[in-house]
């Protein structure tokens, strides 16, 4: 049953709310506009607040729902974390879209919310603070998850390995953003 849940979490994670919402509302594919990322931040750029919020909520739920199912099935915190990681991997490398997915920030937030809500709140606080100071979404994302690791290690040590793997994946998916940040070329949301 556990292996089936891992597969289902990956398949759920592979569903792209950004692409589905763009198609439903007659917008262009978000992978062909803005940053090319099918996530909430790019949806804000190319489709407006409403679709960005819907994308954010959908992507967040992809990380949260598998964790809640794993909890209902009484899996250990480590098993729950691996299930959540499967959902995030689905978002990063979706089978339905030729393995070309988003960066996994909202799906990760949903996963953290299910695993240990204080870690999700810490990640949100760090994201909001970093974004309000810099107006750079990628920097906010890169700052938020790694800072949750000590809190998780203290409160949910079993989840530390899968969440550490997740952190490495998020940094990898943001590698171009890191290059742009270092070069001073990363887009921001300054008014």
């Amino acid at each position: 049953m556990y292996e089936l849940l891992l597969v289902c979490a990956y398949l759920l994670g592979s569903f792209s709310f950004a692409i589905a919402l763009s198609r439903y509302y007659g917008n262009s594919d978000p992978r062909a506009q803005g940053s090319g990322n099918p996530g909430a931040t790019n949806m804000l750029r190319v489709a407006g607040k409403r679709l960005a919020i819907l994308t954010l909520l959908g992507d967040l739920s992809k990380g949260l729902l598998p964790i809640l199912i794993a909890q209902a099935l009484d899996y250990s915190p480590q098993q729950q974390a691996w299930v959540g990681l499967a959902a995030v991997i689905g978002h990063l490398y979706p089978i339905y879209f030729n393995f070309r997915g988003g960066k996994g920030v909202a799906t990760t937030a949903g996963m953290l919310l299910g695993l240990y809500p204080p870690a999700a709140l810490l990640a949100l606080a760090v994201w909001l603070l970093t974004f309000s100071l810099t107006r750079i979404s990628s920097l906010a994302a890169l700052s938020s998850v790694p800072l949750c690791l000590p809190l998780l290690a203290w409160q949910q040590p079993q989840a530390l390995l899968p969440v550490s793997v997740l952190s490495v994946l998020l940094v990898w998916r943001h590698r171009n953003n890191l290059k742009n940040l270092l070069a001073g070329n990363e887009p921001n949301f300054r008014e």
Side-chain angles (χ1 to χ4, degrees), residues 59-76:
D59 288 351
L60 190 97
S61 69
K62 294 189 312 187
L64 178 60
L65 184 61
I67 298 289
L68 295 178
I69 293 169
Q71 289 172 351
L73 294 172
D74 205 28
Y75 288 124
S76 73

Side-chain angles (χ1 to χ4, degrees), residues 24-185:
Y24 182 78
Y25 286 100
N27 294 354
S28 298
D29 188 329
R31 295 171 299 173
Q33 302 177 69
S35 68
N37 180 46
T41 302
N42 196 40
M43 287 296 281
L44 180 60
R45 286 184 188 109
V46 302
K49 286 183 185 178
R50 181 171 178 241
L51 292 185
I53 290 169
L54 290 174
T55 299
L56 176 67
L57 293 174
D59 288 351
L60 190 97
S61 69
K62 294 189 312 187
L64 178 60
L65 184 61
I67 298 289
L68 295 178
I69 293 169
Q71 289 172 351
L73 294 172
D74 205 28
Y75 288 124
S76 73
Q78 185 177 48
Q79 289 173 310
Q80 294 171 33
W82 286 117
V83 167
L85 179 60
V88 174
I89 290 172
H91 181 83
L92 300 175
Y93 304 102
I95 193 168
Y96 311 128
F97 300 103
N98 297 319
F99 304 101
R100 186 175 167 213
K103 298 204 175 156
V105 177
T107 307
T108 296
M111 174 189 168
L112 288 175
L113 184 61
L115 279 177
Y116 188 61
L121 292 175
L122 176 62
L124 176 63
V126 170
W127 193 98
L128 289 171
L129 177 64
T130 305
F131 185 77
S132 69
L133 293 173
T134 66
R135 306 301 288 173
I136 301 174
S137 177
S138 60
L139 182 60
L142 286 165
S143 301
S144 60
V145 175
L147 290 178
C148 296
L149 289 178
L151 181 61
L152 269 171
W154 179 45
Q155 292 294 321
Q156 296 284 352
Q158 291 180 321
L160 188 59
L161 178 60
V163 174
S164 296
V165 170
L166 172 66
S167 294
V168 170
L169 283 171
L170 289 181
V171 170
W172 173 254
R173 290 296 286 169
H174 284 85
R175 65 192 180 279
N176 290 332
N177 301 93
L178 280 170
K179 289 177 190 173
N180 290 337
L181 283 165
L182 293 172
N185 299 328

